[in-house]
């Protein structure tokens, strides 16, 4: 039994390397050796017959896929490798809008969301009549989000029409959407880590003063909480519906219970571990070991 740990190969991925090394060590404690590879370090190609050729598959039984490179993930799976998480689940979670669409009518509460029409035209301007309709549907303030974004970087709170037009113009050539602002959850949310369909714990994140985004990377502070049943259940339901082995689910807090904010297939766990005292790497490795040993 030998596994792969795959991370993104570009410099910003230092955090992925640390996460990969933690998982490698935890798997070793389960008696499973792994090698860490960066995407781009090993070849994978589609040959003339449409078959996948890759140097990665033959020597390995599974891969812990910490990258978001949907092409490599797909190729590895097509060559028969079991991925944690699956390429499809990673791809769906990478795009927040696709996540909401995939969750569909699974019973989770979502914030009302209007996708921005995709724009492929250079020099185009946002459609003002459309933005006025968005404002009418969602009211101000409203949230504008890039479909692909992390660490709060592509998330903005907009208080009026001039700003809405300005942000819509900046985001125009990237997939993005407009979302109801869940004011009850102002500056806070709950992060839950789910492994193998079970919520292992949660923390509440509170934004720094003057900030509505509670991301730790933006100065938010985490505090360990005992998960209320509704939050536990919502996180588990999201993970199961999306077919994720591992994820971090962000839930907005309201009097009526949780509203799903996003699902992170590749959630970093260092901050979560510090706050909760849980060993996420060990829990994930234990789950992986169980899964690969029964195959
Ligand atoms: N609709 C919303 N209403 C209220 N707060 C929100 C809403 N969407 C996002 N936030 C806040 O912004 C933060 C970042 O948004 P999120 O969708 O998780 O993006 P990212 O992937 O960048 O973390 C959330 O953790 C939450 O604190
Ligand atoms: Mg988030």
């Amino acid at each position: 039994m030998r596994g792969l740990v795959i991370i993104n190969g570009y410099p910003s991925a230092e955090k992925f390397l640390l996460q990969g090394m933690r998982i490698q060590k935890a798997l070793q404690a389960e008696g499973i050796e792994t090698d860490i590879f960066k995407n781009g370090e090993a070849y994978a190609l589609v040959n003339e017959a449409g078959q996948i050729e890759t140097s990665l598959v033959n020597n390995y039984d599974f891969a812990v896929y910490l990258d978001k490179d949907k092409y490599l993930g797909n190729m590895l799976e097509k060559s028969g490798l079991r991925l944690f998480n699956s390429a499809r689940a990673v791809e769906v979670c990478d795009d927040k809008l696709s996540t909401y669409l995939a969750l569909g009518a699974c019973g989770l509460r979502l914030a009302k969301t209007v996708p921005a029409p995709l724009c492929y035209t250079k020099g185009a301007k946002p459609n003002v009549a459309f933005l006025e309709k968005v404002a009418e549907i969602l009211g101000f303030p409203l949230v504008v989000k890039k479909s692909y974004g992390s660490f709060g970087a592509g998330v903005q709170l907009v208080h009026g029409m001039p700003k809405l037009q300005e942000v819509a113009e900046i985001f125009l050539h990237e997939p993005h959407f407009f979302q109801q602002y869940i004011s009850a959850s102002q500056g806070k949310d709950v992060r839950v880590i789910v492994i193998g369909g079970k919520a292992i714990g949660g923390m509440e994140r509170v934004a720094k003063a003057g900030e509505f985004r509670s991301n730790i990377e933006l100065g938010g502070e985490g505090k360990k909480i005992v998960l209320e049943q509704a939050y536990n259940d919502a996180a588990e339901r999201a993970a199961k519906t999306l077919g994720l082995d591992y994820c971090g689910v962000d839930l907005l807090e309201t009097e009526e219970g949780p509203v799903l904010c996003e699902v992170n297939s590749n959630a970093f766990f260092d901050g979560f571990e510090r706050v909760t005292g849980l060993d996420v790497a060990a829990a994930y490795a234990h789950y992986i070991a169980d899964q690969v040993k029964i195959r």
Side-chain angles (χ1 to χ4, degrees):
M1 175 69 56
R2 198 168 184 93
L4 265 172
V5 177
I6 296 184
I7 60 173
N8 193 267
Y10 290 92
S12 65
E14 194 59 26
K15 269 186 97 165
F16 280 110
L17 181 57
L18 293 178
Q19 181 128 328
M21 286 162 67
R22 284 288 317 285
I23 290 174
Q24 181 175 54
K25 232 175 144 188
L27 279 167
Q28 209 166 34
E30 295 284 340
I32 299 174
E33 292 300 326
T34 55
D35 296 313
I36 298 181
F37 267 89
K38 294 177 175 168
N39 66 337
E41 273 188 347
Y43 82 85
L45 62 87
V46 185
N47 70 17
E48 294 90 331
Q51 290 152 339
I52 309 299
E53 288 180 21
T54 168
S55 58
L56 281 175
V57 168
N58 290 344
N59 306 324
Y60 299 100
D61 302 291
F62 68 92
V64 185
Y65 203 70
L66 303 183
D67 197 4
K68 289 188 176 180
D69 183 329
K70 62 182 178 183
Y71 304 114
L72 178 62
N74 241 295
M75 287 197 278
L76 294 180
E77 267 177 0
K78 284 202 161 72
S79 351
L81 208 59
R82 160 75 154 101
L83 258 56
F84 298 88
N85 291 303
S86 77
R88 178 71 192 143
V90 172
E91 186 177 348
V92 167
C93 288
D94 197 21
D95 174 349
K96 293 177 169 68
L97 262 176
S98 294
T99 307
Y100 301 144
L101 293 173
L103 287 170
C106 79
L108 285 173
R109 282 176 67 215
L110 302 174
K112 203 181 272 183
T113 297
V114 184
L118 292 176
C119 175
Y120 306 105
T121 310
K122 241 182 166 181
K125 297 269 178 224
N127 178 336
V128 176
F130 175 80
L131 294 179
E132 279 167 351
K133 189 74 193 162
V134 166
E136 191 188 311
I137 295 169
L138 301 176
F140 287 114
L142 59 81
V143 176
V144 189
K145 265 188 220 185
K146 290 183 185 174
S147 299
Y148 300 88
S150 305
F151 313 131
V155 182
Q156 295 220 19
L157 191 60
V158 165
H159 291 271
M161 207 50 204
K163 186 74 183 170
L164 180 59
Q165 270 178 255
E166 187 188 315
V167 177
E169 188 161 348
I170 295 168
F171 285 5
L172 188 62
H173 292 97
E174 287 183 72
H176 65 284
F177 55 88
F178 308 95
Q179 188 168 74
Q180 178 190 5
Y181 179 53
I182 305 296
S183 55
S185 194
Q186 180 172 348
K188 60 186 170 65
D189 69 357
V190 171
R191 161 61 63 92
V192 185
I193 298 269
V194 183
I195 296 174
K198 289 265 163 286
I200 65 160
M203 68 173 171
E204 184 179 61
R205 303 183 299 185
V206 179
K208 68 177 183 195
E211 174 58 70
F212 83 103
R213 297 162 298 184
S214 58
N215 303 68
I216 305 279
E217 294 80 4
L218 295 176
E221 278 202 22
K223 146 179 132 207
K224 183 179 178 170
I225 53 167
V226 176
L227 276 178
E228 282 174 37
Q229 197 62 43
Y231 288 75
N232 186 94
D233 294 351
E236 290 185 356
R237 180 172 295 199
K240 278 182 196 152
T241 306
L242 298 169
L244 289 153
D245 299 294
Y246 167 89
C247 65
V249 182
D250 293 348
L251 298 165
L252 300 168
E253 300 172 72
T254 78
E255 288 284 310
E256 296 78 38
V259 171
L260 186 114
C261 181
E262 68 154 342
V263 182
N264 302 276
S265 60
N266 298 40
F268 287 113
F269 52 62
D270 54 340
F272 186 89
E273 286 187 328
R274 260 195 309 278
V275 170
T276 61
L278 294 165
D279 189 334
V280 177
Y284 194 17
H286 191 69
Y287 165 75
I288 292 169
D290 271 356
Q291 292 290 303
V292 293
K293 278 176 184 161
I294 54 168
R295 284 177 2 116

